[in-house]
């Protein structure tokens, strides 16, 4: 059974379709990369998977359970699926450690003392041990994004979604964030990325999906998509990007 | 360099800016001095000046009434001191009520909307009269007929309506991505409000609320109409006693001694916030 499965998902805003008839399966431990031009529906699709946006039609299954059922309470589902955003979205009035601890404390009713060793280990692992007490505006973009990833990981999600998490970073900071993704992959985390980092997608993805105008035009292993794309839209896009 | 020796290493641009600053300073001081001189010289030439000076700026009356008026002003400060925190809390309750999403709590939303409409729409003095005279008129026993209680309540109710709207503008100014990030962590709606939205919103509207505090500080004087002998009423007593308006000027000076520094402080806060955001 697939970890996460989308069946004929459709989503629009104010009558304008953004995603149309999207079907996608994500197996446990896989890294799936969504590529495509801005506005092709990658971000919207990720937000739908996390139930931040309700879908208009189709269904989304998490371990076989239909999580797109409108009557369902989204909160317990969101705890199982972490998401990291392009613009970090750290809470500016809290230190990095407080940002990370808020949800475990409130949702899992953990106390600070028992959380601290775990949190510390996460900060250590991602090279931020000395930044725990810093506030977001005292951190670089790359550091903020790594804190945002730690914040999502602290809820011990089964799946992680990444929405163009390196797009707002200076080029020299992109590497440190991609390293975090490689680490997560080596530990078997199931991940879905919307990304413009074609080199990274080719190297690390198990499956690449090319979206064009809200539709998955082509999907397959990275070698196939990048080296032998079949659809003319994919070829045109890659030609423009890789140049 | 063209101006060698004068600039001591300053660039052409820095020299120009220094000249410009000096010129601006000279022009500003000259014109200010001219205006002040004109007022000082011309106003006393008015036919009624002697009479006005005597009844509004009488030094003897000023010194005689100042200590008592200052003591009466302590009462204003006291009323202010217990009203301000209650307004901060009640306004927050109203602001949150206006933002509740749950259909079961819809009546709260209606209540909060009507509340802010009504209390922003009625002059403060009317509310003070209606509550300050109306409620004790029910024949309540002491101390529940005290004008302090009902007058303060009138101020709290009115000011909370304005402050609630300020809070609400703060809540709405928090970017939707903060809400999305908080929800994506699985936090409940109440937790998102309490831990993510409100702390940021309240901080953001501190300068706006400082202005409300200054306004409240002055409007405490309205309670004089229903009984308490605070500074405005005490000044009125002196006016009748001495047939002189100087006590009102004394009261104004005492108010200014508090509100001007408070206003400067509020402006400084606002400026700091604007700098932080740019």
């Amino acid at each position: 059974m697939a970890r996460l499965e989308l069946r004929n998902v459709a989503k629009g805003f104010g009558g304008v379709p953004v995603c149309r008839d999207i079907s996608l399966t994500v197996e446990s431990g896989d890294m799936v990369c969504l590529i495509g031009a801005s506005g092709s529906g990658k971000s919207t699709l990720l937000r739908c998977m996390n139930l931040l946006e309700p879908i208009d039609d189709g269904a989304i299954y998490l371990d076989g359970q239909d999580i797109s059922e409108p009557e369902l309470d989204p909160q317990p589902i969101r705890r199982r699926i972490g998401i990291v955003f392009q613009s970090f979205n750290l809470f500016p009035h809290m230190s990095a450690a407080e940002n990370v601890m808020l949800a475990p404390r409130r949702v899992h009713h953990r106390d600070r003392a028992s959380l601290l060793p775990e949190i510390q280990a996460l900060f250590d692992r991602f090279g931020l041990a000395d930044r725990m007490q810093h506030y977001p505006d005292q951190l670089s973009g790359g550091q903020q994004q790594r804190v945002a990833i730690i914040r999502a990981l602290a809820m011990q999600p089964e799946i992680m979604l990444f929405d163009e998490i390196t797009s707002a970073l200076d080029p020299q900071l992109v590497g440190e964030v991609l390293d975090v993704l490689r680490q997560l992959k080596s530990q078997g985390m199931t991940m879905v990325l919307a990304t413009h980092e074609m080199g990274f997608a080719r190297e690390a993805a198990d499956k690449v999906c090319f979206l064009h105008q809200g539709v998955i035009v082509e999907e397959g292993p990275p070698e196939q998509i990048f080296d032998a794309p079949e659809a003319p839209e994919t070829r045109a896009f890659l030609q423009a990007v890789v140049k | 360099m063209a101006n060698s020796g004068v600039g001591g290493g300053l660039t052409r641009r820095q020299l120009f800016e220094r000249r410009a600053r000096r010129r601006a300073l000279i022009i500003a001081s000259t014109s200010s001095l001219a205006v002040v001189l004109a007022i000082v010289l011309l106003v006393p030439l008015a036919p009624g000046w002697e009479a006005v000076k005597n009844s509004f700026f009488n030094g003897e009356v000023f010194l005689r009434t100042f200590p008592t008026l200052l003591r009466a002003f302590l009462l204003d400060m006291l009323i202010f001191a217990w009203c301000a925190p209650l307004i901060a809390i009640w306004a927050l309750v109203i602001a949150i009520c206006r933002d509740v999403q749950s259909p079961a709590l819809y009546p709260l939303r209606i209540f909060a909307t009507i509340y802010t409409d009504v209390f922003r729409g009625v002059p403060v003095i009317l509310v003070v009269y209606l509550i300050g005279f109306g409620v004790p008129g029910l024949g309540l026993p002491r101390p529940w007929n005290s004008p302090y209680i009902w007058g303060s309540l009138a101020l709290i109710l009115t000011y909370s309506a304005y402050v609630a709207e300020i809070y609400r503008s703060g809540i709405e100014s928090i970017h939707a991505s903060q809400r999305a990030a908080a929800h994506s962590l699985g936090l409940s709606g109440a937790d998102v409000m309490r831990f993510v939205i409100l702390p940021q919103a309240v901080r953001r509207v501190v300068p706006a609320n400082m202005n409300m505090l200054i306004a409240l500080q002055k409007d405490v004087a309205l309670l004089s109409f229903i009984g308490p002998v605070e500074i405005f009423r005490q000044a009125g007593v002196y006016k009748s006693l001495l047939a002189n308006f100087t006590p009102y000027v004394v009261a104004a000076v005492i108010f200014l001694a508090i509100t001007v520094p408070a206003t400067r402080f509020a402006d400084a806060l606002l400026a700091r916030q604007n700098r932080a955001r740019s």
Side-chain angles (χ1 to χ4, degrees):
Chain A
M1 182 174 52
R3 203 75 219 255
L4 186 69
E5 185 180 356
L6 278 65
R7 268 187 224 155
N8 311 107
V9 167
K11 171 69 186 173
F13 291 105
V16 181
V18 178
C19 295
R20 288 177 290 164
D21 196 28
I22 296 228
S23 294
L24 174 69
T25 56
V26 181
E27 300 296 336
S28 193
D30 266 6
M31 178 188 276
V32 173
C33 284
L34 309 175
I35 62 169
S38 298
S40 59
K42 308 185 294 290
S43 293
T44 303
L45 201 56
L46 288 181
R47 293 169 70 92
C48 289
M49 293 181 197
N50 184 256
L51 306 186
L52 279 176
E53 300 287 353
I55 60 174
D56 299 336
D57 199 8
I60 302 176
Y61 298 89
L62 178 62
D63 292 329
Q65 181 201 1
D66 182 357
I67 58 168
S68 53
E69 164 61 42
E71 294 284 343
L72 210 63
D73 176 11
Q75 280 165 27
I77 307 296
R78 289 188 188 133
R79 289 165 201 163
R80 299 171 60 189
I81 308 179
I83 187 167
V84 182
F85 304 92
Q86 178 180 345
S87 49
F88 328 140
N89 299 353
L90 292 180
F91 307 133
H93 59 296
M94 296 181 186
S95 70
E98 287 165 345
N99 260 281
V100 173
M101 286 194 279
L102 176 64
R105 282 178 56 210
R106 297 303 304 172
V107 177
H108 293 155
H109 305 289
R110 304 277 308 275
D111 59 282
R112 276 171 203 272
S114 79
L115 265 171
L116 210 56
E118 281 169 42
I119 302 293
Q120 211 134 30
L122 280 170
F123 276 84
D124 280 346
R125 208 167 101 197
F126 297 123
L128 290 169
D130 55 342
R131 293 288 183 271
M132 282 181 71
Q133 299 311 323
H134 285 57
Y135 281 78
D137 61 2
Q138 301 168 316
L139 299 172
S140 75
Q143 290 168 340
Q144 287 189 54
Q145 195 56 293
R146 281 183 285 158
V147 172
I149 295 173
I150 293 173
R151 181 172 71 177
L153 288 175
M155 289 300 285
Q156 295 169 329
E158 299 155 36
I159 299 177
M160 286 284 282
L161 310 175
F162 298 93
D163 187 4
E164 295 187 28
I165 58 168
T166 57
S167 297
L169 298 180
D170 291 340
Q172 75 271 23
L173 300 178
V174 169
E176 64 189 49
V177 172
L178 293 183
D179 281 341
V180 171
L181 296 185
R182 287 189 192 97
Q183 240 194 81
L184 288 178
K185 181 175 162 58
S186 72
Q187 284 152 4
M189 175 63 78
T190 309
M191 294 183 271
V192 184
L193 280 72
T195 185
H196 289 304
E197 300 291 334
M198 296 304 154
F200 179 76
R202 175 198 283 264
E203 159 215 324
D206 296 292
K207 176 152 80 175
V208 176
C209 300
F210 172 67
L211 271 85
H212 180 69
Q213 296 179 352
V215 178
I216 295 183
V217 173
E218 194 167 355
E219 66 169 278
E223 310 82 54
Q224 180 198 317
I225 299 292
F226 289 109
D227 298 333
E230 282 165 14
E233 293 92 345
T234 319
R235 255 177 268 150
F237 173 74
L238 288 174
Q239 231 161 34
V241 179
V242 175
K243 203 177 277 176
Chain B
M1 196 187 283
N3 268 334
S4 60
V6 180
L10 292 182
T11 66
R12 207 162 49 154
R13 180 74 207 170
Q14 284 166 330
L15 285 169
F16 167 77
E17 282 172 2
R18 197 164 74 179
R19 278 198 308 277
R21 264 200 308 278
R22 280 182 191 161
R23 200 182 314 135
L25 187 67
I26 290 169
I27 295 174
S29 358
T30 317
S31 68
S32 307
L33 198 67
V35 170
V36 170
L37 270 180
I39 292 174
V40 170
L41 293 177
L42 293 179
V43 170
L45 294 181
W49 169 243
E50 275 309 317
V52 167
K53 195 175 116 187
N54 215 0
S55 54
F56 282 90
F57 304 103
N58 188 317
E60 203 181 309
V61 174
F62 192 104
L63 290 177
R64 185 171 152 198
T65 57
F66 185 83
T68 314
L69 286 174
L70 193 60
R71 228 169 298 129
F73 186 64
L74 282 182
L75 184 56
D76 291 79
M77 297 290 279
L78 214 60
I79 295 171
F80 171 79
W82 69 59
C83 283
L86 291 174
I87 290 168
I89 295 165
W90 180 232
L92 198 56
V93 172
I94 298 290
I96 292 171
C97 284
R98 282 200 77 167
D99 203 58
V100 290
Q101 305 294 329
S102 152
L105 299 179
Y106 198 72
L108 276 184
R109 219 174 145 148
I110 299 179
F111 161 75
T113 309
I114 295 176
Y115 179 93
T116 46
D117 281 356
V118 167
F119 281 100
R120 285 191 306 163
V122 179
V124 193
I125 183 67
L126 262 179
V127 181
V128 170
Y129 268 145
L130 290 176
I131 296 181
F133 285 138
V135 180
L138 295 173
L140 299 174
R142 281 164 71 86
W144 294 104
N145 56 2
S146 156
Y148 291 98
I149 295 179
W150 303 109
S152 302
L153 181 71
L155 286 179
I156 291 166
L157 289 176
T158 306
Y159 269 77
S160 294
Y162 289 97
V163 175
E165 287 301 289
I166 293 176
Y167 279 140
R168 210 161 67 96
S169 73
I171 289 169
E172 275 165 17
S173 77
I174 303 301
H175 198 264
S177 60
Q178 286 285 313
R179 240 178 240 263
H183 278 299
S184 78
L185 291 168
L187 290 169
S188 70
D191 277 352
V192 173
M193 191 47 129
R194 179 172 155 205
F195 292 100
V196 177
I197 307 295
L198 275 185
Q200 297 185 60
V202 169
R203 255 167 258 209
R204 203 170 278 190
V205 296
V206 162
N209 276 336
M210 276 299 296
N211 279 327
M212 292 310 291
L213 278 184
I214 293 161
L216 172 67
Q217 172 64 55
K218 296 179 298 170
D219 277 354
V220 167
L222 292 174
L223 295 205
S224 64
F225 288 106
I226 57 169
V229 184
E230 48 68 72
I231 186 166
F232 181 66
R233 189 148 175 125
Q234 184 64 53
V237 170
Y238 273 132
K239 179 211 70 179
S240 311
L241 197 69
L242 307 171
N244 193 294
F245 287 100
T246 307
Y248 285 131
V249 176
V250 177
V253 168
I254 291 174
F255 269 112
L256 284 174
I258 294 291
T259 52
V260 168
T263 315
R264 290 290 124 227
F265 179 63
D267 286 354
L269 273 184
L270 195 62
R272 198 172 70 185
Q273 197 177 64
N274 284 342
R275 265 202 309 281
R277 226 182 289 175
S278 60

